[in-house]
Amino acid sequence: MFAFIIRRTALMVPTMLIISAIVFVVIQLPPGDFLDTLASQLASQGEGLADSQIALLRERYGLDQSILVQYLKWITNIVTALDFGQSFEWNKAVLDVIAPRFWVTLGIALLSLALTAVVAIPCGIYVSLRQYSLGDNLATFFSFLGLAVPNVLMTLVLMYASFTLFDSNPGGLFSAQYQDAPWSVGRVLDLLAHLWIPAVVLATAGTAEVVRVMRATMLDELSKPYVDTARAKGLTEARLTMKYPARIAINPIVSKLGWMIPIIVSSEAVVSIVADIPTMGPLLLRSLLAQDMYLAGAIILLLAFLTVIGTLISDILLALLDPRIRHAME
Amino acid sequence: MSSATDTTAAAPAPAVPAAIAAQESRLAGASEWRLIWWRFRRHRLAFASGIVVLAIYVIALLADPIAPASTEASKPQYTYAPPQMLHLFRTTDDGWRFEPHVLGYRVQIDPRAMRRSFVTDPDTVIPVGLFVRGDRYSFLGLFESDLHLFGPIEAGQPFFLLGADRLGRDVLSRTIHGARVSMSIGLVGVLMSLAIGVVLGGLSGYLGGLVDSAIQRTIEIIRSIPTIPLWMGLAAAVPLTWHPLAVYFAVTVILSLIGWTTIARIVRGKFLSLRNEDFVVSARLDGASQTRIILVHMLPSFYSYIIAATTLAVPTMILSETALSFIGLGLQPPMVSWGVLLKEAQNIRSLASAPWLFAPGVAVMIAVLSLSFLGDGLRDAADPYQK
């Protein structure tokens, strides 16, 4: 098992390196660079920037070198010193700009994953036991709806509902009075009141998928002879379901996890932009528009890293849960 | 799913064995496409969704004559005017008669909130008719006309069945026009993904070995980059100075850069399972060329799957375009797509006073739902021999 984890982790390294190269090319794509943006901004404010000054700055930031050299510098600094470079716009180290927002992104992603698991797994078990009941049909209906409603629209609808029903403007992370307050129960509740919209939106599509998979696997398992055997031996229905078919039906869900994390992480960017929550999403949008390339690159790279780590965790969990997979690996 | 062989179950039970034999020969003699069609037709939800999808595409194609107004026609005095109710009958002194009409607006000023609000004015009757004259448009660049399927009989009268937006433009007309870009971007993007996916997936599955591993690793890496941030990065590279059509094309290419991976996987899986089938081996022993084996022998046995996978990929494209345009990185006004239109609804305060701005979002939902049901039905029908 240990060897498997090591091997699987080592496999991440080349993947991340290739991703970093792709990311670097992508952030280099827009014509011009940050200094052009800066120069035009200054020019619009009436302050010119002499060409010689621009050339000087370009040299200082290493923007005059070839892409390959710039990339090698960038990736070496990241790997050796965890230095993601300097954000032009914020005039701070990229890591300092990202760090507080990284935790919010991670928090929202974990919250919505937890929400998915808590809602979808019991739901999936229930609908498989009551096939074609009202609950089953409702679940099917909502799963299709969950897959069809664009995240953007759902965020807007929930914000609209919260605005018209509770008269609260749910944008941001905290209400005004808690913005700079020290941590307290009230502040945590306030945070949750702001985070429920992104969490619900992000959990919906995942929940729809998990309920569907859970239901299908459960239905397969429930018709197998071992269930009859257990029943004949006098196990209660509840114990029987939880002990055998439910445990097997969890496996595909765990492998789905690895597939859900990229979706959650990437949808989170859009949802946060709509709901104006200070995560990496809005920061990415802004840095892209301002051509703050190291900041944008670091964000995409970190989001990709979250995805790769998520897949790794789900692979390891799967191997831990299912002895068949574990033996096949070893 | 129920068995495929009872395709004829809808027909009355045969009374004589001869009838059974006739039916069996009907099944045996039917082409693959006919079997798929029979199977698909029995899937009612998918069939109905197919009709809805077709209708949406027809509306998108004929957006100019169908929409009562053009996209940019604005009536500033009707900013955020609420939707009008379409009345079919008009009551007059001597009973009622059939005369479709809507009621005009009267502006009321709330003295406390100092806010303008519209109330319907029962005295202003705006008759509505079919095939009326309205805004001029150029239909797909082919000819010019001002004929609209429906609208106010007297051109220029306020007619907002789904309300008006910030600039007093008709939300219904704009949503209808938005279908053109949103629905076609899905289609064009998917065709592009299909082309890349079939070629690379086919190579991967047919050649195997090093090529296969290389393509599979590429797919894995592409899939582990979170899509929306990557799209955002690529879309930000599209210069603002480009012609709207070029931007449209660029966004489509960006969306299909990732979409192809799913199709490539399906194609590869099919190639792997078919490679050693008897009919492929015998074709090879017969001296058929590789191209001929792939195109004549292998492709026909799985393009039904490809069609199903392609249909299922369209909704994803539509949703992605909506998200990108909404955050301002995809298409830009004056181009009209559902994502661009939803952007109007971005401000929660204006949304609270004009909830009809959600209309383009509802259009996205209808399109995505019906395309998903259609794709599901096609996938089930794709293998008519399956039990």
Side-chain angles (χ1 to χ4, degrees):
Chain A
M1 187 62 210
F2 188 66
F4 162 70
I5 295 177
I6 296 287
R7 203 155 17 114
R8 187 60 189 70
T9 315
L11 217 72
M12 266 176 58
V13 178
T15 310
M16 275 316 292
L17 276 179
I18 297 175
I19 291 178
S20 75
I22 297 176
V23 168
F24 197 78
V25 171
V26 168
I27 57 172
Q28 285 279 5
L29 276 181
D33 54 34
F34 174 74
L35 290 174
D36 294 327
T37 318
L38 183 74
S40 68
Q41 262 174 18
L42 287 178
S44 69
Q45 287 162 12
E47 302 170 42
L49 203 60
D51 282 353
S52 59
Q53 273 175 301
I54 293 181
L56 216 68
L57 282 170
R58 194 157 275 154
E59 197 185 321
R60 202 173 110 203
Y61 290 123
L63 292 176
D64 53 345
Q65 285 148 334
S66 72
I67 284 199
L68 190 65
V69 174
Q70 286 190 50
Y71 168 71
L72 287 177
K73 253 190 180 165
W74 184 65
I75 197 71
T76 316
N77 281 336
I78 292 175
V79 173
T80 55
L82 211 65
D83 174 10
F84 286 89
Q86 195 78 8
S87 160
F88 302 124
E89 206 193 356
W90 296 68
N91 214 358
K92 277 204 282 193
V94 163
L95 209 56
D96 294 339
V97 180
I98 293 179
R101 289 168 175 253
F102 177 79
W103 299 113
V104 183
T105 297
L106 194 64
I108 292 179
L110 292 179
L111 192 65
S112 49
L113 265 183
L115 203 62
T116 307
V118 168
V119 175
I121 294 177
C123 257
I125 295 176
Y126 174 81
V127 297
S128 67
L129 295 177
R130 304 265 184 283
Q131 203 185 353
Y132 305 127
S133 67
L134 181 68
D136 186 18
N137 287 328
L138 272 179
T140 312
F141 176 74
F142 278 111
S143 16
F144 272 113
L145 212 60
L147 290 173
V149 182
N151 284 331
V152 170
L153 181 69
M154 197 189 250
T155 318
L156 281 174
V157 169
L158 290 181
M159 285 174 74
Y160 170 74
S162 144
F163 185 77
T164 48
L165 296 180
F166 310 118
D167 200 27
S168 71
N169 193 353
L173 207 51
F174 293 105
S175 311
Q177 74 261 37
Y178 287 110
Q179 192 66 55
D180 299 308
W183 282 105
S184 63
V185 178
R187 194 167 190 241
V188 172
L189 288 180
D190 185 57
L191 179 66
L192 285 180
H194 282 86
L195 287 189
W196 73 270
I197 289 181
V200 166
V201 172
L202 295 174
T204 306
T207 305
E209 186 74 25
V210 169
V211 169
R212 232 178 57 177
V213 174
M214 192 82 193
R215 177 178 182 272
T217 332
M218 281 294 287
L219 284 177
D220 273 359
E221 292 299 321
L222 281 172
S223 61
K224 287 197 174 158
Y226 73 81
V227 176
D228 290 334
T229 312
R231 195 172 284 138
K233 286 193 163 189
L235 244 65
T236 60
E237 278 303 302
R239 192 173 154 74
L240 176 149
T241 314
M242 296 318 289
K243 195 87 184 147
Y244 303 107
R247 276 174 65 191
I248 295 179
I250 287 284
N251 286 348
I253 304 300
V254 171
S255 59
K256 267 269 176 292
L257 263 187
W259 162 97
M260 271 163 58
I261 288 169
I263 293 183
I264 287 184
V265 164
S266 85
S267 319
E268 188 275 334
V270 170
V271 171
S272 293
I273 291 170
V274 180
D276 192 25
I277 290 169
T279 65
M280 298 207 281
L283 195 64
L284 174 63
L285 180 63
R286 224 178 114 179
S287 59
L288 283 171
L289 293 178
Q291 296 208 15
D292 195 348
M293 54 176 255
Y294 290 125
L295 184 56
I299 294 173
I300 304 183
L301 200 60
L302 274 179
L303 291 178
F305 187 64
L306 279 185
T307 304
V308 173
I309 290 279
T311 325
L312 173 74
I313 293 176
S314 96
D315 275 7
I316 293 177
L317 271 182
L318 203 60
L320 280 175
L321 274 177
D322 195 334
R324 289 169 302 184
I325 296 175
R326 193 160 63 230
H327 288 303
M329 298 278 183
E330 275 158 11
Chain B
M1 282 298 118
S2 52
S3 78
T5 41
D6 63 1
T7 321
T8 51
V16 282
I20 300 175
Q23 283 201 347
E24 268 174 6
S25 74
R26 183 169 106 100
L27 268 182
S31 72
E32 188 194 359
W33 288 109
R34 188 154 288 274
L35 287 173
I36 291 177
W37 169 244
W38 284 342
R39 203 174 149 85
F40 176 70
R41 217 173 38 185
R42 283 189 312 137
H43 201 313
R44 290 227 183 93
L45 188 58
F47 193 70
S49 301
I51 293 171
V52 173
V53 170
L54 207 65
I56 296 176
Y57 274 112
V58 169
I59 291 176
L61 187 69
L62 303 177
D64 296 311
I66 287 180
S70 73
T71 54
E72 294 309 319
S74 66
K75 297 193 179 73
Q77 68 271 37
Y78 295 110
T79 299
Y80 292 131
Q84 288 165 318
M85 182 78 149
L86 184 67
H87 302 270
L88 286 183
F89 299 99
R90 188 172 167 190
T91 330
T92 48
D93 300 333
D94 43 305
W96 51 270
R97 65 168 187 274
F98 179 75
E99 186 188 338
H101 65 277
V102 293
L103 297 178
Y105 297 103
R106 210 171 39 211
V107 178
Q108 215 167 43
I109 294 176
D110 181 355
R112 224 154 40 115
M114 286 306 284
R115 212 174 12 202
R116 254 163 27 113
S117 62
F118 289 96
V119 284
T120 46
D121 179 3
D123 297 332
T124 331
V125 171
I126 302 166
V128 173
L130 289 174
F131 303 108
V132 292
R133 304 273 160 194
D135 300 319
R136 281 203 80 76
Y137 57 84
S138 155
F139 182 72
L140 302 175
L142 295 177
F143 58 88
E144 284 209 357
S145 171
D146 61 355
L147 202 63
H148 292 263
L149 181 63
F150 64 102
I153 287 174
E154 193 184 326
Q157 294 274 39
F159 182 63
F160 302 112
L161 287 184
L162 283 179
D165 69 356
R166 181 169 55 86
L167 295 175
R169 293 172 297 196
D170 181 25
V171 173
L172 175 67
S173 299
R174 284 170 70 77
T175 307
I176 291 176
H177 279 280
R180 192 173 267 182
V181 169
S182 289
M183 295 301 285
S184 70
I185 231 170
L187 210 60
V188 177
V190 155
L191 288 181
M192 256 186 249
S193 317
L194 186 68
I196 310 176
V198 167
V199 170
L200 290 185
L203 283 178
S204 190
Y206 192 80
L207 298 176
L210 206 63
V211 181
D212 185 30
S213 323
I215 293 175
Q216 290 312 306
R217 288 299 87 71
T218 315
I219 291 179
E220 268 165 36
I221 286 168
I222 290 181
R223 290 177 81 108
S224 56
I225 306 179
T227 22
I228 292 178
L230 182 66
W231 279 332
M232 283 167 69
L234 289 168
V238 178
L240 291 172
T241 47
W242 279 14
H243 186 267
L245 255 172
V247 175
Y248 167 87
F249 199 68
V251 170
T252 318
V253 171
I254 290 169
L255 293 181
S256 48
L257 274 181
I258 291 165
W260 68 270
T261 52
T262 322
I263 291 168
R265 288 217 153 161
I266 295 174
V267 173
R268 171 178 177 266
K270 281 286 150 196
F271 261 104
L272 283 182
S273 64
L274 284 177
R275 199 161 50 169
N276 295 319
E277 284 282 335
D278 290 345
F279 69 93
V280 176
V281 174
S282 55
R284 192 177 303 136
L285 294 179
D286 245 5
S289 72
Q290 271 199 4
T291 329
R292 190 181 158 78
I293 291 177
I294 293 178
L295 292 182
V296 179
H297 297 280
M298 291 170 94
L299 211 57
S301 59
F302 66 87
Y303 44 42
S304 51
Y305 289 90
I306 298 181
I307 292 173
T310 314
T311 317
L312 283 173
V314 180
T316 323
M317 293 263 169
I318 294 177
L319 287 177
S320 314
E321 183 277 325
T322 310
L324 270 187
S325 302
F326 182 85
I327 60 175
L329 283 177
L331 304 168
Q332 312 282 350
M335 200 122 190
V336 179
S337 80
W338 289 335
V340 173
L341 291 178
L342 263 187
K343 217 172 145 186
E344 289 278 325
Q346 200 167 22
N347 186 327
I348 200 75
R349 274 170 209 285
S350 61
L351 199 54
S353 54
W356 48 90
L357 294 179
F358 277 130
V362 177
V364 175
M365 271 171 57
I366 295 173
V368 168
L369 263 183
S370 46
L371 277 163
S372 309
F373 286 137
L374 173 66
D376 270 349
L378 284 176
R379 190 174 52 193
D380 289 343
D383 191 353
Y385 310 106
Q386 170 197 46
K387 280 277 172 188

